[in-house]
Amino acid sequence: MMTREKAAVISIGRIYCDLIFTGLEELPVLGRELFAGDLEIAAGGGAYIAAAHLTYIGRPAALLARLGNDALSSIIGEKMKDSGVELQFIDHSPDAGPQVTVAAIVGQDRAFLTRRAGSALPSTLDDALAWKEARHLHIAEFATLHEIPDLVSRAKDKGMSVSLDPSWDASLIYDDGFLNSCAGVDVFLPNLEEATAITSHEAPDAAIRKLSEAFPTVALKVGGAGAWISSDGSIWHAPAHDVDVVDTTGAGDAFNAGFIDAWLEQLDPKRCLEAGITAGSRSVQVRGGGPRSS
């Protein structure tokens, strides 16, 4: 019996060189130097991490992004080749790098320092949206949608469904027009901090109820407290899995991948939620955001 091939996802956003410092007992403070127990250099950014996890679980995924020509960009470009992610829509440009995120990991908490470079708009956007294998567009950060405000409508014109992870950006997430800018998004994928900033509700059930007024499906990530889903007027919660946490970098993007894959298979909301939690739980057991076989 032949297995039906899954439709592809295009994942759009910025690519970062992640410098992940682990083995820390505290975060750095001004005037003092700390020494980390270990350092991981990895390809990062929500678009790549989600695409890599989609590919890992058997869903074809293409990365739509710009990548610089500098040394750090070249390093992560090589790393991405081993992921199985479709890279034909990478826009190589000198002004697109270096883009770097320094992540300091203390227990299950993280602090980030990031540099963006150039525009988020790839010259390959039209070619990617015309890719016949794609059925869904995942926008990995609201900042990308902010720079390309017609992105959702352009994807919809091609018959695609759309998901959005807002990703934390203090300069954008408190804007009164945030939700209006997201019109047309089918699946909204915030964490609790982002949902609270958008809705002013700290309780996850209150925050997701408010977001359900704007989005058909909302999957709210609450870290060690699991996740919530709102769909068709109903709300459910599922607990996190009990696993040994090594590094939470990219766990939310891994959740996105598991959830999107199940949602595209038209599974019921509870199974979509569980698929997201399973993918996120797998991610936190290894260093770096991308999936590993061991």
Side-chain angles (χ1 to χ4, degrees):
M1 181 177 177
M2 294 184 63
T3 302
R4 177 180 62 84
E5 186 171 345
K6 294 181 176 181
V9 171
I10 296 171
S11 186
I12 184 171
R14 292 177 181 266
I15 307 169
Y16 296 94
C17 177
D18 282 356
L19 306 178
I20 305 166
F21 290 86
T22 54
L24 292 166
E25 304 245 339
E26 58 183 328
L27 294 176
V29 296
L30 292 175
R32 298 181 185 178
E33 184 175 13
L34 291 180
F35 293 89
D38 206 352
L39 168 67
E40 177 84 12
I41 301 176
Y48 167 71
I49 294 173
H53 280 276
L54 281 162
T55 301
Y56 181 84
I57 59 182
R59 170 80 58 181
L63 179 60
L64 175 57
R66 304 179 74 235
L67 183 65
N69 298 329
D70 57 279
L72 289 176
S73 296
S74 297
I75 289 171
I76 60 174
E78 288 300 313
K79 287 179 177 289
M80 290 191 299
K81 290 179 182 178
D82 297 328
S83 66
V85 173
E86 175 59 64
L87 302 176
Q88 65 172 304
F89 302 117
I90 298 294
D91 174 13
H92 295 271
S93 178
D95 75 327
Q99 290 194 135
V100 181
T101 291
V102 176
I105 313 297
V106 180
Q108 295 188 26
D109 290 326
R110 306 161 293 164
F112 300 101
L113 178 63
T114 296
R115 185 217 184 220
R116 287 177 178 154
S119 167
L121 175 60
S123 64
T124 52
L125 177 59
D126 288 337
D127 289 340
L129 294 180
W131 191 35
K132 295 188 182 301
E133 295 182 35
R135 173 181 161 194
H136 183 86
L137 177 71
H138 175 59
I139 307 170
E141 54 188 7
F142 176 76
T144 296
L145 179 58
H146 180 72
E147 288 193 54
I148 316 172
D150 64 345
L151 183 56
V152 174
S153 61
R154 291 171 71 171
K156 292 284 187 172
D157 287 345
K158 297 295 184 179
M160 295 183 187
S161 51
V162 179
S163 56
L164 171 65
D165 184 325
S167 192
W168 183 262
D169 187 325
S171 67
L172 297 174
I173 203 162
Y174 292 104
D175 192 294
D176 290 339
F178 182 95
L179 291 177
N180 288 336
S181 299
C182 300
V185 168
D186 300 289
V187 180
F188 191 57
L189 298 154
N191 63 28
L192 182 56
E193 185 177 18
E194 293 153 358
T196 297
I198 296 165
T199 67
S200 299
H201 293 297
E202 295 183 0
D205 56 339
I208 198 170
R209 286 184 192 281
K210 182 64 176 178
L211 291 172
S212 69
E213 298 173 6
F215 303 99
T217 298
V218 180
L220 175 59
K221 297 163 282 190
V222 199
W228 295 70
I229 184 172
S230 170
S231 180
D232 296 326
S234 298
I235 294 175
W236 296 274
H237 170 260
H241 294 177
D242 184 12
V243 298
D244 292 329
V245 177
V246 174
D247 177 11
T248 58
T249 302
D253 300 304
F255 174 99
N256 294 345
F259 186 93
I260 291 166
D261 177 64
W263 185 81
L264 288 172
E265 290 299 294
Q266 300 182 338
L267 301 185
D268 68 69
K270 292 181 181 178
R271 291 178 67 188
C272 292
L273 194 62
E274 181 59 32
I277 291 172
T278 297
S281 298
R282 182 169 55 241
S283 172
V284 301
Q285 296 178 73
V286 297
R287 287 184 183 148
R292 298 187 185 181
S293 57
S294 62

